[in-house]
């Protein structure tokens, strides 16, 4: 297998299962600089849309390699080491993917561009849209998501409300809570009022599981997540707490494990167990590749919540 530039995984997704990722923006092109981001800090926030990676290049790599992955993934996920909707060729990308495969296509978005017509229309073409909505007041939004100065919550909320009523696919609204930032009782009440006007398949509540961009970001408790989910359910808002990824499968093709591990870790830190689950290999096999990549100075270890994670250098 030739070295991959845009495809990575299949990656463990708490929301989607075995997800073959397609990275369509470079690190770290993003409109936000979230406290909790597992892809690291955003050096310069931006809302500029342009063809950071060309749709033609992405689709060539996808078509040439997809047969190696199609039995190993549940969903194709358009994402990025930043905000994927900032790629101005998003529409060409999703249209091209759907011409190659009938696998469900999802996109992870921070929702900051949903009010832009071109983005809105492109999102309608996905089978699954996972928009973030960590905050519904300007002060809390700026505290947890640290947006580019022109981004505001009113566009996000209005755009998401409108989109939810037109969209025919699965809409999973994601809220990630940081302790003492967006988890206050008053903010939860305001979230309820906003979510009552959004027609979604599910609201998925989570917290920090991997090393965050900022050491000042801390996870909330499982008890908080469960109680918040109950609050949403009492208000007729479909909600669930997202858990860990545990689907284990066996690879049916010969893969260049070192390259695949390196590509996966470019997108997110993982433990040995994460990678064992993703690639259907024993932890000892994964560790052999890890040791090679460490010697090549491509990855390093990082410790978080008593777990050992591996990240790219």
């Amino acid at each position: 297998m030739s070295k991959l530039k845009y495809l990575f995984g299949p990656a463990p997704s708490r929301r989607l299962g075995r997800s073959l990722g397609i990275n369509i923006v470079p690190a770290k092109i993003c409109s936000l600089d979230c406290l909790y981001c597992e892809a690291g800090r955003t050096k310069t926030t931006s809302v500029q849309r342009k063809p950071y990676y060309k749709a033609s290049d992405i689709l060539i790599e996808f078509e040439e390699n997809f047969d190696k992955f199609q039995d190993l993934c549940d969903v194709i996920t358009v994402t990025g080491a930043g905000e994927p909707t900032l790629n101005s060729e998003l529409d060409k990308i999703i249209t091209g993917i759907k011409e190659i495969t009938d696998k469900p296509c999802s996109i992870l978005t921070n929702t900051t561009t949903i009010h832009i017509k071109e983005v809105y229309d492109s999102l309608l073409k996905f089978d699954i849209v996972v928009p973030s909505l960590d905050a519904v007041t300007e002060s809390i939004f700026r505290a947890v998501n640290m947006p580019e100065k022109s981004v505001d919550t009113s566009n996000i909320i209005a755009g998401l409300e409108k989109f939810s009523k037109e969209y025919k696919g699965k809409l999973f609204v994601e809220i990630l809570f940081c302790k003492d930032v967006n988890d206050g009782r008053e903010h939860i009440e305001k979230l309820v009022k906003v979510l009552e006007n959004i027609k979604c398949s599910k609201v998925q509540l989570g917290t920090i599981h991997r090393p965050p961009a900022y050491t000042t970001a801390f996870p909330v408790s499982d008890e908080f997540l469960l109680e918040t989910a109950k609050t949403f359910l009492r208000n007729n808002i479909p909600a669930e707490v997202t858990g860990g990824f545990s689907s284990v499968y066996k690879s049916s093709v010969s893969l260049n494990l070192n390259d695949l591990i390196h590509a996966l870790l470019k997108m997110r830190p993982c433990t040995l167990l994460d990678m064992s689950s993703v690639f259907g290999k024993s932890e000892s096999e994964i560790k052999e590749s890890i040791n090679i990549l460490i010697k090549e100075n491509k990855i390093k270890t990082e410790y978080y919540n008593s777990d050992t994670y591996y990240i790219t250098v």
Side-chain angles (χ1 to χ4, degrees), residues 8-14 19 38-39 209-211 245 260-279 283 286-287 290 293-294 299-304 307-312:
F8 66 96
S13 170
R14 296 187 299 276
S19 172
E38 62 191 32
H209 291 283
R210 295 183 174 91
F245 179 91
L260 292 179
I261 287 174
H262 190 237
L264 174 60
L265 296 180
K266 282 183 179 179
M267 300 303 300
R268 61 176 61 181
C270 287
T271 64
L272 280 178
L273 180 58
D274 288 336
M275 290 180 278
S276 177
S277 296
V278 170
F279 299 116
E283 290 192 26
I286 298 294
K287 186 64 176 176
I290 288 293
L293 292 168
I294 288 175
I299 67 171
K300 63 181 180 180
T301 55
E302 187 165 312
Y303 304 97
Y304 184 72
D307 288 321
T308 301
Y309 285 85
Y310 297 92
I311 64 173
T312 52

Side-chain angles (χ1 to χ4, degrees), residues 188-204:
I188 299 300
E189 292 172 355
K190 290 180 179 179
L191 274 168
V192 167
K193 290 180 180 178
V194 169
L195 290 167
E196 285 176 334
N197 294 318
I198 295 173
K199 182 182 177 183
C200 64
S201 306
K202 193 81 70 173
V203 177
Q204 298 183 313

Side-chain angles (χ1 to χ4, degrees), residues 136-151:
V136 294
T137 68
E138 198 67 23
S139 61
I140 295 176
F141 176 54
R142 297 200 171 275
V144 69
N145 299 126
M146 294 189 285
E148 191 272 343
K149 61 182 180 181
S150 68
V151 177

Side-chain angles (χ1 to χ4, degrees), residues 12-197:
S13 170
R14 296 187 299 276
R15 294 156 292 199
L16 305 172
R18 300 174 304 175
S19 172
L20 177 62
I22 305 179
N23 180 22
I24 70 169
V25 292
K28 176 84 173 355
I29 305 298
C30 197
S31 50
L32 303 179
D33 183 23
C34 299
L35 288 176
Y36 57 77
C37 186
E38 62 191 32
R41 299 185 183 187
T42 305
K43 293 181 179 178
T44 303
T45 54
S46 174
V47 292
Q48 183 179 11
R49 300 192 73 229
K50 63 181 183 179
Y52 293 100
Y53 290 146
K54 292 284 188 180
S56 56
D57 294 337
I58 293 169
L59 294 171
I60 287 171
E61 181 173 294
F62 182 78
E63 186 167 24
E64 289 180 347
N65 293 278
F66 182 61
D67 63 323
K68 303 177 182 72
F69 295 102
Q70 60 181 335
D71 294 331
L72 308 177
C73 65
D74 304 309
V75 63
I76 312 301
T77 300
V78 172
T79 181
E83 172 50 33
T85 64
L86 292 180
N87 189 321
S88 58
E89 297 198 341
L90 176 64
D91 199 78
K92 292 180 182 178
I93 293 167
I94 181 56
T95 300
I97 292 170
K98 283 187 164 290
E99 290 174 352
I100 297 168
T101 178
D102 58 2
K103 289 271 188 182
C105 296
S106 67
I107 184 169
L108 311 183
T109 174
N110 64 23
T111 330
T112 57
T113 60
I114 198 168
H115 62 288
I116 299 171
K117 187 181 188 307
E118 291 84 357
V119 174
Y120 185 100
D121 291 343
S122 297
L123 292 177
L124 289 172
K125 297 181 180 182
F126 284 85
D127 303 291
I128 305 167
V129 175
V130 185
S132 295
L133 187 67
D134 299 328
V136 294
T137 68
E138 198 67 23
S139 61
I140 295 176
F141 176 54
R142 297 200 171 275
V144 69
N145 299 126
M146 294 189 285
E148 191 272 343
K149 61 182 180 181
S150 68
V151 177
D152 65 72
T153 54
S154 61
N155 281 334
I156 293 172
I157 294 168
L160 189 52
E161 286 182 2
K162 179 184 176 185
F163 181 81
S164 73
K165 293 173 174 62
E166 183 178 355
Y167 182 56
K168 304 302 182 184
K170 295 180 180 179
L171 186 66
F172 298 140
V173 177
E174 182 185 38
I175 304 173
L176 193 142
F177 289 101
C178 293
K179 184 175 176 59
D180 298 328
V181 184
N182 61 339
D183 59 340
R185 180 178 298 179
E186 183 178 344
H187 185 240
I188 299 300
E189 292 172 355
K190 290 180 179 179
L191 274 168
V192 167
K193 290 180 180 178
V194 169
L195 290 167
E196 285 176 334
N197 294 318

